[in-house]
Amino acid sequence: SARTTINPPQHFFLFLCIVKADYIIVGQGLCGTLLSWMLQREGRRVMVIDEFQPFSPGRVACGLINPVTGMRIVKSWMIDELLPIASQTYKQLEKDLGISISNKLDIVEFHPNQPARETFNERAKQYPEYLHPEIDITVLDTLFHFHYGAGTIQQGGLTDMRGLQDAWRTKLRETEAIREERFDWGHCNIQHDSVTYKDIEAEKIIFCDGAAGLENPYFTKLPFALNKGEVLIADIPGLPHNNIYKHGIKIAPWQDGLFWIGSSFEWTFTNLETSEAFRSKTENQLKNWLKLPYKIYNQWASVRPATVDHKPFSGFHPLYPSVGILNGMGAKGCSQAPYFANNLAQHLIAGEPLHREADIMRYKGILSR
């Protein structure tokens, strides 16, 4: 007798190919790295969507943590709460990934004038845990030109964000938890309590996509304040690598024995290209400051995802609760991102409240229009 072949319906094969996840995370910069790592450690299934960008902010920045900043020399917002979480987070990442990424270094602050020196010394009385006005300038005097002395900012340092993101990307590949591609809105279907992206089904999608967040149709009304930064990578033979140096610009130890020099803050810009104006201005500053020769090897530019109120964006859309965001860390990413990634992770896992100054519900009105 003749044999009959029964072909299963097409949707049968589609069902077999569906990838189930708890959360889709778009972007694997610092925020996406930390959030996906924290959720995976808690046993949650994540799928990261990220197209590698060699000059993303997290790969151009030096990873500075500075507890006291600005011309007024005041403590950074929430720094007393941020520092312990950042230290704990980076130590655990080093243990989990078998890498070394956190380097505690003092910041040598050169005073530009006498009033700045007096302000620093007064602030040192207020913040003795962070500021020390007395410093031996014997060695510094052989390295730099300066006229008004220097003090040190302690409990700061550098985080190797390139090393961290590369190591975590390798782990994501090993667990098949990353799609290395550009996110495509044409393949994203948002429902009230679920999300489908291509063949991935998840409870929520969380955007950690940096400057691209400004073009996100769900969050385009959030008050982003993008700014462009440029840096130089240079060799400075004879300059010790055991400090960060600050005098208008910053000089920080970088990879391969080189130094990171920068950075600029351009709030109005027309392109993402490096500029001769920045290089020329920075080299003039170096010539007036350094007593040592130097050689420039690279110049990079990127765009920071800052916000108008200088507070991060965290949480879920008031009308579309399956769509979330963790973004807007600006220049303070290394100190802020561990705290707010942990806060968002615990919100998802245990229902803990989001930090009220970061929760995007502060913009519920404009997001609900």
Side-chain angles (χ1 to χ4, degrees):
S1 59
R3 298 179 63 181
T4 303
T5 301
I6 301 176
N7 293 318
Q10 186 177 9
H11 65 77
F12 177 81
F13 293 106
L14 293 175
F15 177 78
L16 287 178
C17 295
I18 287 295
V19 175
K20 295 284 188 177
D22 295 307
Y23 309 110
I24 297 169
I25 297 175
V26 180
Q28 197 243 320
L30 184 59
C31 285
T33 291
L34 293 175
L35 183 61
S36 58
W37 170 72
M38 290 173 178
L39 291 171
Q40 263 204 6
R41 290 190 91 240
E42 294 287 347
R44 299 309 193 264
R45 298 167 300 175
V46 301
M47 182 60 73
V48 176
I49 313 295
D50 182 80
E51 180 184 44
F52 179 76
Q53 300 287 341
F55 300 111
S56 65
R59 301 186 71 82
V60 170
C62 68
L64 177 67
I65 292 179
N66 185 358
V68 182
T69 61
M71 294 181 63
R72 296 186 297 119
I73 314 176
V74 295
K75 286 201 293 186
S76 296
W77 174 65
M78 279 186 62
I79 196 64
D80 294 333
E81 294 82 14
L82 298 177
L83 280 181
I85 300 298
S87 177
Q88 176 185 341
T89 298
Y90 294 132
K91 284 180 182 177
Q92 189 61 55
L93 277 160
E94 288 181 325
K95 182 178 179 181
D96 286 2
L97 300 178
I99 57 177
S100 178
I101 56 171
S102 186
N103 191 10
K104 292 185 184 254
L105 296 173
D106 287 347
I107 302 167
V108 179
E109 172 105 7
F110 292 85
H111 308 309
N113 50 50
Q114 187 60 29
R117 178 176 183 165
E118 292 170 0
T119 299
F120 188 98
N121 292 344
E122 284 300 313
R123 290 286 190 266
K125 298 173 185 177
Q126 296 177 256
Y127 315 136
E129 69 276 30
Y130 296 125
L131 297 180
H132 290 258
E134 300 300 327
I135 184 172
D136 185 356
I137 64 170
T138 305
V139 174
L140 293 177
D141 196 45
T142 67
L143 306 172
F144 297 96
H145 297 284
F146 59 101
H147 306 288
Y148 299 97
T152 57
I153 303 172
Q154 298 189 330
Q155 297 195 49
L158 300 173
T159 304
D160 180 3
M161 293 198 288
R162 286 186 166 211
L164 169 58
Q165 290 171 77
D166 289 346
W168 182 238
R169 197 177 192 89
T170 298
K171 287 290 184 182
L172 290 171
R173 288 171 179 155
E174 291 173 357
T175 57
E176 297 184 342
I178 187 169
R179 299 285 179 84
E180 300 185 76
E181 62 188 50
R182 178 174 295 187
F183 181 79
D184 183 352
W185 279 105
H187 292 280
C188 187
N189 182 21
I190 305 292
Q191 301 296 323
H192 188 267
D193 57 357
S194 66
V195 175
T196 302
Y197 179 74
K198 295 186 176 179
D199 59 333
I200 309 165
E201 289 183 355
E203 296 176 19
K204 297 181 185 296
I205 186 168
I206 303 167
F207 290 90
C208 306
D209 49 353
L214 187 64
E215 306 301 323
N216 187 311
Y218 290 89
F219 298 118
T220 189
K221 293 178 182 177
L222 287 176
F224 280 93
L226 306 184
N227 64 83
K228 177 182 174 182
E230 294 191 59
V231 304
L232 300 178
I233 303 298
D235 183 22
I236 311 176
L239 185 63
H241 283 71
N242 58 352
N243 285 306
I244 300 159
Y245 308 95
K246 182 180 176 214
H247 190 33
I249 55 174
K250 302 180 190 72
I251 301 177
W254 189 248
Q255 301 166 345
D256 303 320
L258 302 176
F259 287 90
W260 177 101
I261 303 169
S263 64
S264 64
F265 282 81
E266 295 180 54
W267 299 99
T268 302
F269 53 93
T270 57
N271 61 67
L272 302 182
E273 304 299 319
T274 58
S275 66
E276 181 57 37
F278 170 77
R279 178 163 180 157
S280 176
K281 177 183 176 182
T282 305
E283 288 210 59
N284 283 334
Q285 290 174 283
L286 289 174
K287 289 171 184 175
N288 290 328
W289 184 23
L290 281 174
K291 291 182 177 179
L292 302 171
Y294 65 89
K295 181 178 180 181
I296 304 297
Y297 280 93
N298 273 309
Q299 180 177 353
W300 299 326
S302 192
V303 177
R304 303 178 186 91
T307 69
V308 168
D309 65 1
H310 306 292
K311 308 292 172 60
F313 297 142
S314 177
F316 295 88
H317 197 286
L319 302 182
Y320 305 93
S322 61
V323 183
I325 188 172
L326 183 65
N327 204 337
M329 303 291 162
K332 305 288 187 182
C334 281
S335 56
Q336 291 186 358
Y339 181 98
F340 291 103
N342 180 67
N343 180 234
L344 182 56
Q346 292 307 311
H347 175 74
L348 290 166
I349 294 162
E352 290 190 8
L354 293 170
H355 191 284
R356 64 180 183 84
E357 292 186 78
D359 190 349
I360 59 169
M361 283 301 176
R362 70 193 192 270
Y363 296 113
K364 181 179 179 180
I366 62 171
L367 289 173
S368 300
R369 292 174 188 168

